[in-house]
Amino acid sequence: PHTSPPRLRELDPLIESARAGGVRLEVIGDPAALPDLPAAVDLVAYRIVQEALTNVVKHAPGAAATLRVEQVDHQVEIDVRNESTGAHASTDSGTGLASMRERAQSVGGSVTADRDGNVWRVHARLPLRELDGLGGDA
């Protein structure tokens, strides 16, 4: 059987998994309300949410968290915030954060991850359309 890559509109299993892992997750925005995304952007967005929520479960079990997904201008913005337990050692540690950044850059987007007081935040901006020249010499 053929399977399609996961899409941003199909976040329910990730949300339920985070909640089953003890995260008190509030979801803001409706990914189904977004315009159709290019396949590469859609997959990158899904994987960023997946990694960010996995990190919350792993590093801040039981924490309150929010997931916001919405269109802002010509971009999809993803914002995952959680109460920090101090386990997120730095913005450069681990392969998960580096992977999120690389994925975002591959489609012309960006990811930042940092602590603000007792809140850990992962914020991604991805284009709604594929950009010309990606994957080449750019």
Side-chain angles (χ1 to χ4, degrees):
H2 296 287
T3 60
S4 61
R7 302 180 63 208
L8 192 58
R9 293 179 177 186
E10 300 165 354
L11 291 180
D12 287 344
L14 296 181
I15 292 165
E16 293 310 312
S17 178
R19 288 177 176 157
V23 175
R24 294 173 284 131
L25 183 62
E26 176 187 6
V27 179
I28 302 166
D30 180 9
L34 294 172
D36 286 335
L37 300 173
V41 174
D42 214 357
L43 178 59
V44 165
Y46 181 91
R47 294 294 187 212
I48 288 170
V49 171
Q50 182 178 39
E51 182 66 32
L53 291 179
T54 297
N55 285 345
V56 175
V57 171
K58 181 178 176 182
H59 297 294
T66 59
L67 164 64
R68 180 179 57 83
V69 179
E70 63 186 0
Q71 179 180 346
V72 177
D73 297 322
H74 300 289
Q75 298 179 329
V76 174
E77 285 199 7
I78 299 167
D79 195 70
V80 179
R81 296 174 187 241
N82 63 275
E83 299 170 325
S84 178
T85 61
H88 295 289
S90 79
T91 59
D92 294 324
S93 66
T95 59
L97 295 177
S99 176
M100 284 189 276
R101 288 183 184 114
E102 289 172 5
R103 288 175 190 262
Q105 289 171 354
S106 75
V107 295
S110 65
V111 170
T112 59
D114 53 18
R115 181 188 314 276
D116 182 12
N118 70 339
V119 175
W120 180 260
R121 178 183 187 214
V122 172
H123 184 79
R125 290 184 177 142
L126 305 172
L128 288 176
R129 295 190 178 107
E130 289 183 280
L131 303 176
D132 293 334
L134 287 179
D137 295 327

